[in-house]
Amino acid sequence: MKLSRIALAGGVAASTVLLIAGPAAAHVSVQPVGEAAKGGYATLNFKVPNERDQASTVKLEVNFPADHPLSSVTPQAVPGWDIKIDKSKLDKPIESHGRKITEAVSKVTWTADDSEIAPGFFQQFPVSVGALPEDADQLVFKAIQTYDNKEVVRWIEEPTEGGEEPDSPAPVLKLSAAADDHGGGAADDAKEGDDHKAADTAASSKETRAAASSSSSDTTARTLGIIGIVIGVVGVAFGVLAGRRRSA
């Protein structure tokens, strides 16, 4: 009985540790919708969990990487939240679609208007971005989360490869390989177009053969029908003549 009580107490203690550690492991993060390919455009979701039991999140600030400025940043409207976009001059202009970009978005801020992130809930803040850099494997977005009790949590520590996760890690976006390498995408599109043409040609040929077969069947049926009618008429005439001869 004593051992059972000790085991039960140990289990409760372990559960308590898990419950305490659980909320602490949650932090502001960023995930792409689909893939975030180098050189392409993507939609990102900044996921913000509420970690406090007695306070609600009322503000989120996301700082965009200055070492890899993005020429296009377009937030999606979030009901109940005001959005502010800050831009800054670039030390070195960048080219995008034939245009020279001299400034880029440096920060996007969401502030609760008639909404908030209550305890036990999370909120996602979508943003369309591009073009993603081709010379980087990841982007770091430092974020600041503010609660209605004036508490501020700074998610700004950059994780190191192979190291332990920091206490307040910054959101990190992993970039995938470029979707179109050396015209591979165009070649795939051309192949797909050829496949569609071949399929259409085969279908057209099949329909032509079916139509020809149907036409041939109709002609044969009509011919047989005419022959049948002729034979029937001849038979009737023969019967009439035979009847007259017997009468004579």
Side-chain angles (χ1 to χ4, degrees):
M1 180 66 71
K2 185 176 181 180
L3 289 176
S4 298
R5 291 178 179 176
I6 294 175
L8 178 61
V12 172
S15 300
T16 304
V17 171
L18 288 174
L19 289 172
I20 294 175
H27 55 79
V28 176
S29 61
V30 58
Q31 298 99 12
V33 178
E35 286 191 347
K38 297 179 181 180
Y41 285 73
T43 297
L44 311 179
N45 278 327
F46 289 95
K47 183 179 179 181
V48 184
N50 192 88
E51 295 186 298
R52 302 295 180 261
D53 294 331
Q54 304 298 326
S56 297
T57 297
V58 294
K59 187 177 181 181
L60 172 69
E61 301 169 69
V62 175
N63 293 278
F64 283 71
D67 54 343
H68 293 290
L70 302 175
S71 59
S72 174
V73 176
T74 307
Q76 179 177 315
V78 179
W81 294 78
D82 290 328
I83 303 174
K84 179 184 177 184
I85 301 174
D86 292 326
K87 296 184 177 181
S88 59
K89 291 288 184 180
L90 298 177
D91 295 333
K92 182 180 179 181
I94 58 177
E95 294 285 339
S96 178
H97 299 290
R99 296 188 301 116
K100 182 177 289 187
I101 308 298
T102 58
E103 65 176 11
V105 172
S106 56
K107 182 171 68 173
V108 177
T109 303
W110 290 266
T111 304
D113 183 7
D114 57 356
S115 183
E116 60 186 22
I117 307 175
F121 291 86
F122 75 91
Q123 176 69 51
Q124 293 193 112
F125 298 91
V127 181
S128 174
V129 302
L132 297 171
E134 298 180 357
D135 58 348
D137 294 325
Q138 64 180 30
L139 294 178
V140 178
F141 299 86
K142 296 183 178 182
I144 300 175
Q145 182 179 9
T146 302
Y147 290 88
D148 58 4
N149 62 359
K150 307 304 180 183
E151 180 186 2
V152 176
V153 180
R154 301 178 184 276
W155 304 102
I156 60 174
E157 298 179 42
E158 296 190 29
T160 57
E161 187 175 356
E164 294 184 358
E165 184 178 70
D167 292 333
S168 301
V172 176
L173 174 67
K174 300 291 185 180
L175 302 182
S176 60
D180 183 7
D181 253 350
H182 305 295
D188 291 340
D189 291 341
K191 183 178 182 300
E192 184 177 356
D194 291 341
D195 290 343
H196 283 308
K197 289 180 180 177
D200 292 341
T201 301
S204 177
S205 177
K206 184 177 180 180
E207 290 175 0
T208 301
R209 290 196 300 270
S213 177
S214 176
S215 176
S216 177
S217 298
D218 290 343
T219 301
T220 301
R222 289 175 183 173
T223 302
L224 292 175
I226 292 172
I227 293 173
I229 293 172
V230 171
I231 293 173
V233 171
V234 171
V236 171
F238 181 78
V240 171
L241 291 174
R244 287 180 180 178
R245 287 176 181 176
R246 284 196 296 269
S247 298

